Amino acid sequence: MKDNIIYIILAFLFLINIIEFIQLIALRNKQKRQKKRYDRLLRGMSPDLDLEEVLLNLNKSISNVDKKISEVEEDFNTNNAKSISAFVKTGVVHYNAYEDQHNELSFSLCLLDKTNTGIVLTSIYGRDFSNVYLKDVKNGEIENASPEEIKSLKIALDE
């Protein structure tokens, strides 16, 4: 179960990286097309245009594209680093919240980063209801935790 959650999170972050990489390629292709137009204009294929005005507009467009490429590259690098160092420690505890239940449908899931900061997600399953609780973990400590939440935190810290 915990492996599936890690893979889902990593897949989501990988998908974001792929989308940003596609945007980066699209911006580079746009820049290449503008450069071809610029070269064609300089060779005199459109004598009716004011060359100075066209060049100024083209220069502005290229500057904007360069800025966008830099932003996309920064986002790509940031998200790539985040996908590697996001939640690296996990702990899951399945249990029966009530005595008359079986199949251990309630659970506590702890997700921590390298600094032992993260969350504990608890789902309490009852016959007629289901509740979900979220608690913060800071430096490997959690406040007002149930025994199951503490156990999931210990499992995550032992990884």
Side-chain angles (χ1 to χ4, degrees):
M1 176 74 180
K2 70 179 180 180
D3 288 342
N4 290 341
I5 293 171
I6 291 171
Y7 289 127
I8 290 170
I9 292 170
L10 288 175
F12 178 73
L13 291 172
F14 183 71
L15 180 63
I16 291 172
N17 285 339
I18 289 174
I19 291 170
E20 288 184 351
F21 185 71
I22 290 170
Q23 289 176 339
L24 179 69
I25 291 171
L27 286 172
R28 287 187 189 248
N29 288 339
K30 184 176 179 179
Q31 186 178 20
K32 285 180 184 179
R33 285 192 309 268
Q34 286 179 339
K35 186 171 180 345
K36 284 181 184 178
R37 289 182 194 144
Y38 176 77
D39 290 341
R40 194 178 326 138
L41 181 65
L42 286 180
R43 283 182 261 143
M45 298 187 75
S46 300
D48 297 336
L49 296 176
D50 181 10
L51 184 58
E52 182 179 1
E53 183 180 324
V54 171
L55 291 177
L56 291 174
N57 289 336
L58 186 59
N59 191 27
K60 287 180 187 177
S61 296
I62 290 173
S63 296
N64 290 337
V65 169
D66 284 340
K67 288 178 187 176
K68 288 182 183 180
I69 288 173
S70 296
E71 290 173 7
V72 170
E73 285 176 339
E74 286 178 24
D75 288 345
F76 177 78
N77 292 332
T78 300
N79 286 331
N80 195 27
K82 285 181 183 177
S83 68
I84 293 170
S85 66
F87 293 121
V88 294
K89 300 177 184 179
T90 60
V92 178
V93 175
H94 292 274
Y95 58 95
N96 292 323
Y98 301 102
E99 290 181 16
D100 63 337
Q101 292 179 333
H102 56 283
N103 296 334
E104 295 184 341
L105 297 174
S106 298
F107 68 88
S108 289
L109 167 66
C110 181
L111 301 171
L112 301 176
D113 62 9
K114 289 182 180 179
T115 64
N116 295 329
T117 300
I119 60 170
V120 174
L121 181 70
T122 300
S123 174
I124 305 292
Y125 177 81
R127 292 190 187 269
D128 298 328
F129 65 93
S130 179
N131 292 323
V132 177
Y133 302 96
L134 180 70
K135 294 182 181 175
D136 290 327
V137 178
K138 294 182 181 170
N139 298 321
E141 297 181 7
I142 185 172
E143 295 181 14
N144 302 323
S146 68
E148 292 82 6
E149 291 169 333
I150 292 171
K151 187 175 179 182
S152 71
L153 176 61
K154 286 181 181 178
I155 292 170
L157 289 172
D158 289 340
E159 280 192 10

